[in-house]
Amino acid sequence: MLSGSQLGDIKYFENTGDVSSPAWSANHSVFSSIDHSIYSSVAAGDLDGDGLIDLVVGDLTGSLYYHHNTGSGFPFQSGLFGGINVGGWSSPFLMDMDRDHDLDLIIGREDGLVSFYENIGTTEAAQWSENSSFFSGIDVGSNAVVSLGDVDMNGNMDMITGDLFHELQFFSHENGAWVEYPDQVAGLTVGQNASPALVDLNGDGDLDLAVGNYDGTFNYFENRSIVATTPTQLLPEQLILHPAFPNPFNPSVNLSFELPESSHIRIAIYDLSGSMVTTLVDDFYSAGMHTIQWDVFKGEALSTGVYLAVVEDGTSTRTTKLLYLK
């Protein structure tokens, strides 16, 4: 277990137990060379594709610091997060959000908001592009700390946030929007500056919750929910794009697709010359069936003719022809 601290250094607790029965032994000297401004926060992940876990550290300045794992230490390297500053205490989280096999960057902020930087580079060479709309509407008040995962195993990405005020919030990403479910965390008592982390700590296959607090203590909440998941045999093995309906169409057409797992989906319309007419979807969707409507009256004027609808999920692409008649 890794933890930031009020004094800006990194705390490390080695699990000397086993998968189902963790036991913790402090070994902070492993990261004794790392010391930033006060109120440090740390995320771990392989950011250069060398198979070694690197560290990203945030602190009171609002900046991020990259500590490259050389195999013998974690020296600071400048440049990777140049230009990224969230204007106050920064709390990083690393996850492959768009399922393109590299790590993206999510940052909890002092002002209670959450920032998202997509890695548009490669596994070996990250390059960050801010997506300011993905977490729009989420504001937990102050000192947001973020952890993400599929808590209820229903195919939707879930997010638990902590804040300055002894509180946790639970959000589920459903059809392109974040929906808050307060009951999911109701009754959980945590400390000031609650810092949640979702991880399977007891080896039973679901995500449990660990929370760090301002006073240096930790809380553990075991996930004992009984969830009803969609049987895997009912989900496709790969992206399926069904025939459009109605087709020919005017003024709107429905595009239905099925996903084997939660994925970042992009749906764009092209004319036969290859020019893009419009982007219908550029967002995350859960596993299963979804239907998107293209309403020509809500877009640019179109000429009668054949158009191509292209659906991409990060690993495969499907295309169907659409005939628009005036």
Side-chain angles (χ1 to χ4, degrees):
M1 180 171 63
L2 288 167
S3 174
S5 75
Q6 184 181 11
L7 297 180
D9 53 357
I10 303 302
K11 304 299 184 183
Y12 172 57
F13 300 88
E14 182 181 353
N15 185 357
T16 57
D18 55 34
V19 172
S20 58
S21 300
W24 306 102
S25 176
N27 190 7
H28 309 319
S29 62
V30 174
F31 302 107
S32 60
S33 63
I34 300 176
D35 189 11
H36 291 285
S37 174
I38 59 174
Y39 302 119
S40 60
S41 182
V42 61
D46 183 6
L47 283 170
D48 57 1
D50 63 357
L52 299 176
I53 300 300
D54 309 300
L55 299 186
V56 181
V57 179
D59 65 11
L60 188 65
T61 67
S63 297
L64 296 176
Y65 304 89
Y66 173 50
H67 288 268
H68 176 231
N69 185 348
T70 64
S72 59
F74 292 82
F76 166 67
Q77 290 190 358
S78 62
L80 184 61
F81 300 111
I84 296 180
N85 186 293
V86 295
W89 179 59
S90 54
S91 179
F93 183 85
L94 294 169
M95 188 175 193
D96 184 7
M97 293 290 289
D98 50 11
R99 296 182 181 272
D100 62 351
H101 309 293
D102 56 34
L103 291 173
D104 304 299
L105 176 64
I106 301 94
I107 312 173
R109 301 165 32 154
E110 184 179 33
D111 60 8
L113 306 181
V114 179
S115 292
F116 176 42
Y117 288 84
E118 183 181 357
N119 184 355
I120 60 173
T122 65
T123 304
E124 296 78 18
Q127 181 180 349
W128 309 107
S129 176
E130 185 174 12
N131 182 338
S132 59
S133 64
F134 187 70
F135 291 107
S136 62
I138 293 181
D139 184 349
V140 301
S142 181
N143 293 19
V145 180
V146 174
S147 188
L148 294 111
D150 187 1
V151 176
D152 47 16
M153 295 190 293
N154 66 351
N156 292 331
M157 181 65 66
D158 302 310
M159 177 171 65
I160 291 184
T161 59
D163 63 22
L164 174 66
F165 309 109
H166 306 255
E167 298 169 331
L168 298 173
Q169 298 82 25
F170 184 98
F171 302 88
S172 179
H173 197 250
E174 301 174 0
N175 296 325
W178 291 99
V179 181
E180 185 173 4
Y181 291 94
D183 289 347
Q184 292 283 357
V185 290
L188 300 186
T189 301
V190 295
Q192 179 183 332
N193 285 97
S195 299
L198 291 167
V199 63
D200 182 8
L201 275 175
N202 58 1
D204 64 353
D206 57 30
L207 294 175
D208 307 300
L209 175 64
V211 181
N213 303 300
Y214 180 83
D215 62 5
T217 61
F218 296 90
N219 302 118
Y220 169 60
F221 302 94
E222 183 179 345
N223 185 352
R224 294 183 176 177
S225 301
I226 300 175
V227 296
T229 59
T230 302
T232 55
Q233 64 268 25
L234 298 183
L235 294 175
E237 294 183 358
Q238 56 187 351
L239 170 65
I240 295 176
L241 176 59
H242 293 280
F245 179 81
N247 195 20
F249 75 98
N250 183 349
S252 62
V253 60
N254 295 307
L255 298 169
S256 295
F257 58 94
E258 291 185 68
L259 299 175
E261 59 183 359
S262 297
S263 304
H264 184 276
I265 296 298
R266 186 175 187 273
I267 302 178
I269 306 296
Y270 296 85
D271 62 26
L272 291 181
S273 71
S275 298
M276 189 174 71
V277 175
T278 186
T279 298
L280 298 181
V281 166
D282 191 4
D283 214 332
F284 290 85
Y285 282 80
S286 60
M289 173 77 80
H290 301 276
T291 299
I292 301 299
Q293 185 177 79
W294 179 29
D295 190 342
V296 175
F297 284 170
K298 295 181 180 179
E300 297 181 359
L302 290 184
S303 301
T304 293
V306 176
Y307 295 85
L308 302 177
V310 180
V311 182
E312 302 172 90
D313 68 353
T315 60
S316 56
T317 301
R318 301 289 182 266
T319 302
T320 189
K321 291 183 179 180
L322 308 173
L323 177 56
Y324 175 60
L325 297 178
K326 287 189 175 180

